């Protein structure tokens, strides 16, 4: 039967099920498919911290949200249009986020007595009036999956595992998509497991065909390609993008990359990604602990390589002493922190931006280093590359902050070609320079950068370490004047890097005005979307987003003073705001959400409305 | 500086040992850094430094290819006094730093300098892992059974009941047996020497260097300020013959003033015997075999308090050595294998990934 196809500008779909239901895979496949047809998109995977959280319960629900459209998309979306609920708990935990009139696709098999009890339902919501205000599609996915696999030799348990492909097939049908790229993906993934491949392909098609044959669903949707800048695109998530940035920087600088790391959520995917690419001469070293991870990277850098380590908040805490050593040694080192909600073990799979002050200050003694932050999945590539460039050219540790939200979130990426990447200048002392004069390890150039001399270079034998150095010679020194001088020099060296980073720009809005929203890190998408709306609504707002936090861009102070008010939204209790107030002495206002989830566009808009309407009230009182 | 000039006037060579012509003749003096040595007068560290400087010229290494990496503690000042590359790092972490260096620069000769606190207390975790991985590194473990730099607290190797600054009523901790630890972590070379036997120490340093793999050499070192004489029973002339046994591969285990005592192995039980008594000759004794893992474990347990009646002599020399593949070699081989299988990486292809699409003007 022919069905009516309705065109939509943008849609939010949430896939939710038990952590064993394969919703993440469905989400990623749907994301790739969406990217390939040219929609702009943003995603947000949300999964439990436990690998096998109790089945059927609300804490065990794993979700994947995707926002796609023919317009610019910067966030995974606030509320959903379509909710796929594989069981009762998935419905219960996501229903509040479904728009009125939204579509529910419910797997009836996941609403049996046990599932209902575990989710805390007294009666089956699929069979009473409670879902009246939504468009409910009840499908017995388990039964239909088994039926479509009658001829497949796999056992029932294994057959049931391809349920998620039924869902994916059905959603492809609903959005009028082509299933070829997922078929190709499955053929690659199960190249050696014929029966599993067969089961997945059959179920995928069964899901698609179900849409065509069922009488109960008369409506399909389509979203046209977005107008995006011309160019070649791919879909990318933050952690792999970051890993690619590191490899690119290694090849462009000619320095062998060494990644020392200890597994930790949500940073481990960087280790996994790098370990795949050994044909790019990347050495990955899974160290015995976080301390060994950073120390091994320091050892690699000391030997004239690109030493990198990556972790998340608690691991960062363990690395701080070694970071101090790298600061004293003044060698290049890139330290990646994929932030998660803390303190301590905190909420390992939830997102937060609360390690900024740790990155800037969290070490003993006066210990300045460079701090940068990525803002979107694809910017992880650019910032990783930048982190290497600054570390190598300025002989300093660089902390690059990302977070769980962008690490796992996807977006289309107009990726660069390798020849468009900026040069990374490496200057390692050569043997022939030795004859000219005796090597003085802490002699500096005009940017206060010392020369990198590595073992194996005759004439450059020298000893360095964590004890305070005498200026120029690098000999141990306990002299008070020298200590003060060295502390000041190390700080000045970092501050001077401001000359070598891009000037701060205004992302949207006027160069001067009432309100500047200043963000950093993963809040970029929400702020951008909110400001776009607010500008359309006629509000005098602008958005600037920081990627360089220590040192700040040279022109930041000037920009901040061009606005009457500065609002700083952060997923923490107010950290950038302290740095801004401290550095520029301005009365910035904070907006802080610390719930382990991103700030949404609407929350931010509400905040701006209330700030500006309070002003209106005050202004009108003044008029009387 | 005379030393530097000496080196500079000689012809330099770049090759990795293939054409060793005109290599500057290095002497022990070439390895003095000129830094004022700051250990307490009489400290055992002086002897270890001296023996190291003595043997370095004989190793056939170029100065620039040698790196000393230490942690924190009295012993860890060592790198400052040698004119090679060196890093005085942070407490306990030298093995981890050395691992990253060796993984990326396998051609370097890397020496880890550590002590009982640095290596087995704060850095115990790294010590275990560096041993099992088996990089080609040398670990010199200066054991003085005390914390010297922090002025006299008991260490993880101090005997039970030690009276120290932090244990005025005696320490309650059970001490580590460093060689049993190293063997337990699958160290591929495990040996012991002492500061007060220069010849033995020099020989052991050379053997440790020649071993391909992680060499763990424990060196009994006298801290004359906070733990004076901790090892005198093993190091001083009058007691040394009775309380020590010097291991030699293929030779029977004999000791004593007149080499009149020996060790036999009765099943898995070692026993002290008098040669000549009950018809026992050297032919009946335990013949030391450095490659015998089981026996090395038994030897490492010759560890009783020497004041205990009927105690076994403390062994010195190489307890165990095995040829095992090197971690850095495995790393580089894997890089090669993957490169051969997948071909050299193409950066643009990597950035583009598997699925791309084009948006036209
Ligand atoms: S405190 Fe002991 S170990 Fe340290 S330098 Fe003095 S004598 Fe040597």
């Amino acid at each position: 039967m022919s069905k009516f196809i309705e065109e939509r500008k943008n849609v939010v779909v949430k896939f939710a099920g038990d952590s064993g239901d394969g919703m993440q895979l469905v989400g990623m496949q749907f994301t790739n498919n969406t990217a390939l047809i040219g929609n702009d998109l943003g995603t947000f995977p949300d999964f439990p911290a436990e690998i096998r959280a109790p089945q059927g319960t609300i804490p065990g629900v794993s979700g994947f949200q995707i926002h796609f459209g023919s317009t610019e998309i910067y966030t995974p979306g606030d509320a959903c249009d379509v909710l796929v609920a594989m069981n009762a708990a998935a419905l219960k935990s996501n229903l509040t986020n479904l728009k009125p009139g939204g579509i529910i696709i419910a797997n009836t098999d996941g609403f049996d007595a046990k599932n209902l009890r575990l989710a805390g339902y007294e009666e089956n919501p699929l069979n009473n009036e409670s879902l009246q205000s939504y468009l409910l599609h009840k499908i017995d996915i388990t039964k239909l999956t088994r039926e479509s696999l009658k001829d497949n030799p796999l056992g029932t348990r294994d057959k049931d595992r391809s349920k998620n492909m039924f869902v994916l097939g059905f959603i492809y049908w609903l959005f009028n998509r082509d299933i070829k790229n997922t078929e190709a993906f499955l053929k690659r993934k199960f190249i050696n497991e014929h029966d599993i491949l067969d089961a997945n392909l059959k179920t995928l098609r069964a899901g698609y065909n179900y849409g065509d044959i069922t009488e109960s669903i008369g409506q399909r949707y389509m979203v046209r390609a977005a107008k995006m800048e011309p160019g070649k695109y791919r879909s990318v998530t933050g952690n792999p993008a970051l890993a690619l940035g590191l490899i690119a920087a290694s090849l462009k600088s000619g320095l062998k990359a060494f990644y020392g790391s200890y597994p930790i959520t949500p940073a481990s995917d960087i280790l996994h990604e790098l370990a795949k690419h050994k044909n790019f001469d990347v050495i990955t070293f899974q160290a015995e602990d976080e301390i060994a991870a950073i120390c091994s990277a320091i050892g690699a850098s000391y030997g004239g390589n690109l030493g990198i380590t990556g972790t998340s908040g608690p691991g960062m805490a363990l690395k701080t002493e070694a970071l101090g050593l790298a600061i004293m040694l003044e060698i290049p080192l890139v330290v990646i922190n994929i932030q998660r909600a803390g303190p301590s073990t905190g909420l390992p799979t939830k997102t937060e931006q609360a390690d900024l002050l740790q990155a800037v200050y969290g070490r003993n003694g006066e210990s300045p280093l460079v701090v940068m932050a990525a803002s979107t999945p694809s910017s992880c590539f650019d910032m990783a590359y930048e982190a290497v460039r600054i570390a190598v050219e300025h002989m300093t540790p660089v902390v690059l902050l990302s977070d769980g939200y962008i690490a796992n979130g996807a977006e289309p990426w107009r990726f660069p070609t390798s020849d468009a990447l900026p040069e990374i200048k490496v200057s390692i002392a050569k043997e022939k320079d030795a004859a000219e004069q005796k090597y003085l390890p802490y002699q500096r150039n005009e940017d206060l950068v010392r020369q990198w001399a590595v073992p194996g270079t005759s004439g450059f034998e020298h000893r360095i370490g964590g004890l305070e150095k005498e200026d120029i010679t690098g000999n141990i020194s306990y002299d008070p004047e020298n200590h003060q001088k060295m502390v000041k020099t190390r700080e000045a060296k970092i501050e001077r890097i401001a000359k070598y980073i891009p000037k701060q720009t205004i992302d949207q809005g006027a160069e001067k005005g009432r309100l500047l929203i200043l963000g950093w890190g993963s809040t970029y998408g929400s702020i951008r979307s909110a400001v776009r709306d607010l500008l359309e609504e006629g509000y005098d707002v602008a958005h600037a987003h920081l990627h360089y936090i220590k040192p700040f861009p040279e022109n930041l102070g000037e920009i901040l003073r061009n606005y009457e008010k500065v609002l700083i939204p952060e997923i923490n209790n107010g950290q950038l705001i302290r740095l801004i107030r401290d550095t520029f002495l301005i009365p910035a206002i904070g907006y802080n959400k610390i719930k382990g989830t991103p700030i949404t566009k609407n929350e931010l808009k509400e905040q701006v409305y209330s700030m500006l309407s309070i002003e209106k009230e005050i202004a009108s009182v003044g008029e009387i | 500086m005379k030393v530097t000039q000496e080196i500079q006037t000689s012809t330099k060579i770049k090759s990795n040992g293939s054409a060793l012509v005109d290599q500057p003749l290095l002497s022990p003096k070439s390895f003095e850094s000129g830094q004022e040595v700051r250990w307490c007068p009489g400290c055992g560290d002086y002897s270890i430094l001296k023996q190291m400087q003595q043997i370095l010229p004989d190793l056939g290494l170029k100065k620039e290819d040698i790196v000393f990496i230490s942690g924190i503690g009295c012993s860890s000042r060592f790198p400052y006094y040698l004119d090679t590359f060196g890093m005085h790092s942070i407490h306990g972490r030298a093995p981890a730093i050395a691992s990253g260096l060796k993984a990326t620069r396998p051609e370097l000769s890397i020496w880890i300098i550590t002590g009982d606190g640095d290596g087995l207390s704060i850095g115990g975790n790294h010590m275990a892992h560096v041993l099992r991985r088996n990089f080609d590194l040398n670990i010199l473990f200066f054991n003085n059974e005390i914390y010297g730099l922090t002025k006299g607290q008991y260490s993880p190797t101090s005997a039970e009941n030690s009276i120290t600054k932090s244990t005025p009523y005696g320490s309650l901790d059970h001490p580590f047996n460093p060689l049993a630890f190293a063997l337990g972590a699958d160290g591929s070379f495990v040996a012991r020497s002492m500061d007060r036997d220069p010849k033995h120490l020099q020989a052991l340093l050379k053997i440790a260097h020649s071993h391909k793999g992680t060499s763990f050499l424990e060196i009994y070192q006298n801290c004359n300020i906070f733990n004076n004489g901790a090892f005198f029973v093993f190091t001083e002339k009058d007691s040394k013959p009775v309380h020590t046994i010097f291991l030699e591969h293929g030779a029977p285990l004999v000791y004593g003033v007149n080499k009149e005592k020996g060790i036999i192995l009765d099943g898995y039980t070692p026993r002290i015997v008098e040669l000549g008594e009950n018809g026992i000759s050297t032919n009946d004794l335990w013949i030391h075999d450095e490659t015998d893992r089981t026996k090395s474990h038994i030897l490492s347990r010759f560890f009783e308090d020497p004041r205990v009646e009927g105690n076994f002599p403390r062994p010195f020399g190489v307890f165990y050595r095995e040829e095992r593949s090197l971690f850095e070699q495995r790393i580089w081989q894997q890089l090669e294998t993957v490169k051969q299988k997948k071909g050299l990486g193409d950066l643009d292809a990597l950035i583009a990934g598997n699925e791309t699409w084009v948006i036209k003007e």
Side-chain angles (χ1 to χ4, degrees):
Chain A
M1 71 186 262
S2 82
K3 306 216 173 177
F4 180 66
I5 297 183
E6 180 190 322
E7 189 173 331
R8 290 274 185 103
K9 264 195 178 152
N10 53 66
V11 177
V12 177
V13 179
K14 173 99 181 218
F15 299 95
D18 221 30
S19 35
D21 281 339
M23 290 298 102
Q24 300 301 327
L25 182 85
V26 167
M28 280 312 289
Q29 277 306 304
F30 189 68
T31 302
N32 287 346
N33 191 286
T34 306
L36 282 174
I37 67 160
N39 291 149
D40 200 358
L41 64 89
T43 71
F44 182 52
D46 179 21
F47 34 82
E50 294 82 13
I51 302 298
R52 289 274 174 262
Q55 254 192 354
T57 64
I58 287 175
V61 173
S62 167
F64 188 102
Q65 185 163 318
I66 170 167
H67 183 195
F68 56 101
S70 55
T71 54
E72 282 187 348
I73 303 288
Y74 292 102
T75 70
D78 290 6
C80 355
D81 301 288
V82 179
L83 169 63
V84 174
M86 295 299 282
N87 65 12
L91 179 72
K92 186 148 199 192
S93 57
N94 286 287
L95 195 58
T96 50
N97 223 23
L98 184 63
K99 287 181 192 164
I103 298 172
I104 299 171
I105 296 159
N107 172 28
T108 52
D109 186 47
F111 287 77
D112 62 10
K114 189 181 173 200
N115 273 299
L116 290 169
R117 182 172 44 79
L118 286 170
Y121 277 117
E122 289 188 355
E123 51 180 310
N124 192 340
L126 303 183
N127 298 335
N128 61 22
E129 259 85 88
S130 63
L131 302 175
Q132 246 179 359
S133 54
Y134 307 102
L135 203 60
L136 174 65
H137 298 313
K138 297 190 272 185
I139 310 176
D140 192 339
I141 295 174
T142 312
K143 192 173 123 208
L144 292 168
T145 299
R146 287 183 194 165
E147 270 173 21
S148 67
L149 296 178
K150 275 198 304 279
D151 304 330
N152 187 295
L154 289 177
T156 314
R157 256 182 80 127
D158 286 331
K159 282 182 181 167
D160 284 355
R161 291 174 61 154
S162 45
K163 270 192 318 215
N164 60 341
M165 286 298 121
F166 190 95
V167 173
L168 184 59
F170 180 68
I171 291 286
Y172 280 160
W173 174 83
L174 191 64
F175 288 99
N176 199 28
R177 296 284 181 78
D178 194 323
I179 61 174
K180 270 202 227 84
N181 82 306
T182 294
E183 287 179 328
F185 162 80
L186 292 170
K187 284 175 190 160
R188 280 198 305 271
K189 185 173 161 88
F190 298 116
I191 188 162
N192 295 321
E193 289 138 307
H194 180 261
D195 293 340
I196 300 179
L197 173 64
D198 177 68
N200 276 277
L201 290 175
K202 277 203 180 119
T203 328
L204 180 71
R205 276 175 223 140
Y208 194 93
N209 296 338
Y210 177 79
D212 265 336
I213 27 181
T214 183
E215 299 280 319
S216 63
I217 302 163
Q219 181 101 334
R220 296 171 83 178
Y221 303 88
M222 72 164 298
V223 176
R224 289 190 189 282
K227 276 195 205 66
M228 296 203 277
E229 272 191 73
K232 212 169 180 188
Y233 283 78
R234 63 170 286 184
S235 167
V236 79
T237 55
N239 275 348
L242 204 155
L244 296 187
L246 297 172
I247 294 176
S250 155
L251 295 186
K252 290 289 270 193
S253 64
L255 297 172
K256 182 183 276 294
F258 175 94
Y259 188 74
S261 190
Y262 183 77
I264 185 168
T265 304
S268 304
D269 280 341
I270 299 174
L271 174 62
H272 306 162
E273 185 68 26
L274 289 171
K276 279 190 229 162
H277 303 302
K278 298 218 181 284
N279 55 331
F280 289 85
D281 257 343
V282 180
I283 295 181
T284 53
F285 178 66
Q286 184 174 317
E288 59 270 25
D289 59 28
E290 294 282 359
I291 298 171
I294 184 172
C295 285
S296 63
I298 289 174
S301 279
Y302 175 70
N305 305 283
L306 179 55
I308 311 161
T309 184
T311 186
S312 186
M316 200 64 187
L318 287 163
K319 292 185 193 299
T320 52
E321 188 197 14
L323 263 176
L325 175 67
I327 288 168
M328 282 299 252
L329 298 179
E330 301 192 35
I331 53 170
L333 181 73
V334 175
V335 182
I336 293 146
N337 179 357
I338 312 296
Q339 300 166 92
R340 64 191 219 187
S344 186
T345 313
L347 305 165
T349 57
K350 305 292 173 192
T351 200
E352 203 162 274
Q353 299 182 296
D355 298 346
L356 177 61
L357 292 178
Q358 179 197 41
V360 176
Y361 295 124
R363 290 163 294 282
N364 64 309
E366 299 290 350
S367 42
L369 46 64
V370 177
V371 180
M372 301 180 179
S375 58
T376 65
S378 68
S379 90
C380 289
F381 177 91
D382 304 324
M383 294 316 291
Y385 194 89
E386 271 294 272
V388 173
R389 181 180 72 84
I390 297 293
V392 168
E393 293 185 355
H394 296 269
M395 295 288 282
T396 176
V398 174
V399 174
L400 172 57
L401 298 171
S402 169
D403 63 35
Y405 175 51
I406 46 182
N408 295 315
E411 68 172 354
W413 176 32
R414 195 161 62 97
F415 54 89
T417 53
S418 60
D419 50 8
L421 297 170
E423 187 196 354
I424 297 176
K425 295 185 216 96
V426 181
S427 78
I428 296 181
K430 304 260 167 25
E431 257 170 50
K432 60 177 168 49
D433 308 333
E436 286 163 24
Q437 69 191 99
K438 190 174 170 358
Y439 175 58
L440 297 165
Y442 284 76
Q443 197 156 45
R444 296 162 193 278
N445 68 11
E446 64 283 6
D447 293 319
L448 303 176
V449 178
R450 75 179 196 91
Q451 194 180 18
W452 198 3
V454 306
T457 322
S458 172
F460 286 88
E461 294 83 358
H462 66 281
R463 276 66 54 196
I464 52 178
L467 285 169
E468 182 60 286
K469 312 273 170 296
E470 185 179 68
D471 191 20
I472 300 171
T473 65
N475 291 335
I476 304 171
S477 167
Y478 296 101
D479 176 49
E481 295 301 322
N482 177 74
H483 178 53
Q484 174 148 341
K485 182 171 186 200
M486 291 301 275
V487 167
K488 296 279 188 192
T489 306
R490 286 187 287 261
E491 180 71 34
K493 171 180 133 173
I494 300 300
E495 285 307 322
R496 231 170 259 201
I497 293 170
K499 285 204 295 183
Y500 298 92
I501 61 175
K503 289 250 163 63
Q504 184 60 46
T505 55
I506 303 294
D507 193 71
Q508 283 184 105
E511 306 253 310
K512 266 186 194 328
R514 296 282 301 283
L515 176 67
L516 175 73
I517 305 185
L518 179 69
W520 71 279
S522 69
T523 52
Y524 176 79
S526 308
I527 302 177
R528 179 163 174 99
S529 311
V531 170
R532 187 184 53 187
D533 285 10
L534 291 162
L535 286 170
E536 268 175 26
E537 292 163 24
Y539 284 88
D540 183 4
V541 290
H543 172 205
H545 214 77
L546 285 172
H547 290 91
Y548 300 83
I549 296 174
K550 172 87 184 183
F552 283 129
E554 281 182 315
N555 62 334
L556 182 61
E558 203 182 303
I559 287 180
L560 295 176
R561 293 196 173 90
N562 283 337
Y563 297 87
E564 286 166 31
K565 282 183 186 300
V566 175
L567 172 68
I568 303 185
E570 295 181 84
I571 313 173
N572 60 35
N573 206 18
Q575 300 203 0
L576 176 66
I577 195 168
R578 285 166 212 264
L579 300 175
I580 293 289
R581 283 178 184 158
D582 176 44
T583 314
F584 302 106
L585 301 173
I586 60 162
I589 301 158
Y591 175 71
N592 305 94
K593 177 179 174 187
I594 322 150
K595 298 181 177 177
T597 53
I599 295 173
T600 65
K601 172 182 87 172
N602 286 333
E603 287 166 344
L604 204 53
K605 282 170 72 178
E606 288 302 323
Q607 172 68 18
V608 173
Y609 292 147
S610 76
M611 277 175 75
L612 296 182
S613 63
I614 289 168
E615 269 178 32
K616 273 185 199 149
E617 273 168 37
I618 295 170
S620 58
V621 169
E623 276 159 25
I624 302 169
Chain B
M1 261 175 65
K2 191 171 158 284
V3 173
T4 345
Q5 276 162 11
E6 230 177 64
I7 304 289
Q8 282 171 4
T9 49
S10 316
T11 318
K12 283 186 210 74
I13 46 124
K14 267 248 69 167
S15 79
N16 264 345
S18 48
L20 286 173
V21 280
D22 290 341
Q23 187 172 14
L25 264 186
L26 297 171
S27 67
K29 264 200 122 24
S30 335
F31 287 96
E32 288 173 11
S33 72
Q35 286 267 319
E36 186 195 340
V37 184
R38 296 227 192 164
W39 290 309
C40 307
C43 174
D45 290 348
Y46 283 95
S47 163
I48 305 174
L49 176 63
K50 179 147 187 246
Q51 311 324 322
M52 191 79 223
Q53 284 166 340
Q54 289 294 326
I55 63 118
L56 276 175
D58 302 339
L59 301 182
L61 297 168
K62 290 184 281 174
K63 240 167 66 152
E64 63 270 23
D65 289 340
I66 303 171
V67 187
F68 284 89
I69 299 180
S70 63
I72 295 293
C74 291
S75 58
S76 286
R77 292 297 181 97
F78 203 81
Y80 285 118
Y81 309 135
L82 288 158
D83 191 31
T84 63
F85 280 88
M87 189 197 295
H88 178 212
S89 77
I90 43 176
H91 210 7
R93 317 302 172 199
I97 293 170
S99 297
L101 182 59
K102 189 71 186 179
T104 50
R105 299 289 309 275
E107 76 281 14
L108 299 173
S109 170
I110 301 175
W111 300 72
I112 293 168
I113 307 296
T114 183
D116 37 321
D118 190 64
L120 278 188
S121 197
I122 195 164
N125 191 29
H126 310 305
M127 187 60 83
H129 290 275
V130 78
L131 288 165
R132 82 179 159 87
R133 288 193 180 110
N134 201 38
F135 286 100
D136 187 15
L137 298 165
N138 309 304
I139 300 172
L140 304 187
F141 178 85
F142 295 23
N143 185 4
N144 56 15
E145 297 189 349
I146 196 81
Y147 280 94
L149 196 65
T150 51
K151 300 195 163 51
Q153 302 81 6
Y154 80 104
S155 90
T157 56
S158 300
E160 269 176 50
N161 301 319
S162 295
I163 307 288
T164 72
K165 280 247 180 67
S166 59
T167 52
Y169 300 108
S171 75
L172 307 173
D173 260 357
H174 181 71
F176 254 129
N177 174 335
L179 295 196
F181 176 94
L183 287 167
D186 262 3
S188 70
F189 177 98
V190 176
R192 181 187 286 137
S193 187
M194 58 174 83
D195 54 357
R196 290 161 99 90
D197 190 337
K199 262 175 71 188
H200 188 260
L201 180 52
Q202 283 186 25
L204 268 281
L205 287 171
K206 285 186 185 171
I207 303 172
H209 165 74
S210 70
H211 172 69
K212 288 267 162 252
T214 302
S215 306
F216 182 90
L217 176 60
E218 177 185 34
I219 304 169
Y220 282 171
Q221 173 244 322
N222 191 35
C223 169
N224 53 311
I225 301 296
F226 296 110
N227 201 14
N228 195 25
F231 305 111
F232 278 0
V233 64
F234 309 122
T235 60
E236 302 314 287
K237 250 208 331 267
D238 43 348
S239 52
K240 187 176 177 181
V242 211
H243 287 285
T244 64
I245 185 161
F246 282 79
L247 305 171
E248 232 178 282
H249 184 60
L253 265 57
V254 289
Y255 70 109
V257 183
N258 302 310
K259 302 278 176 224
E260 73 285 7
K261 291 168 187 270
I263 312 282
I264 59 164
L265 207 47
D266 179 1
Y268 287 114
T269 312
R271 298 191 197 287
I272 297 172
V273 292
E274 300 284 333
L275 288 172
E277 272 181 24
N278 304 324
I280 288 179
S281 76
T282 48
N283 293 337
D284 303 308
L285 297 181
W286 171 349
I287 305 295
H288 181 50
D289 178 0
E290 291 169 355
T291 64
D292 190 323
R293 186 190 291 272
T294 311
K295 286 184 185 163
S296 72
H297 282 278
I298 300 173
L299 269 179
S300 75
R301 290 291 164 189
F302 287 18
F303 195 64
E304 306 129 306
D305 188 323
R307 289 162 299 194
V308 170
E309 188 67 29
N311 69 82
F312 282 89
R314 194 69 57 97
F316 291 82
V318 181
F319 284 55
Y320 182 65
R321 75 199 292 184
E322 76 174 307
E323 292 289 329
R324 199 166 84 216
S325 72
L326 305 175
F327 193 56
E328 68 272 22
Q329 268 174 10
R330 295 201 294 274
I331 290 174
W332 286 70
Q333 264 158 17
Q334 193 174 54
L335 290 180
E336 282 314 309
T337 314
V338 178
K339 274 190 264 184
Q340 263 167 27
K341 207 170 126 198
K342 293 172 104 179
L344 260 191
D346 171 350
L347 181 55
D348 282 300
L350 178 72
I351 296 175
N354 286 333
E355 288 176 318
T356 62
W357 68 96
V358 175
I359 306 268
K360 299 219 174 69
E361 298 273 350

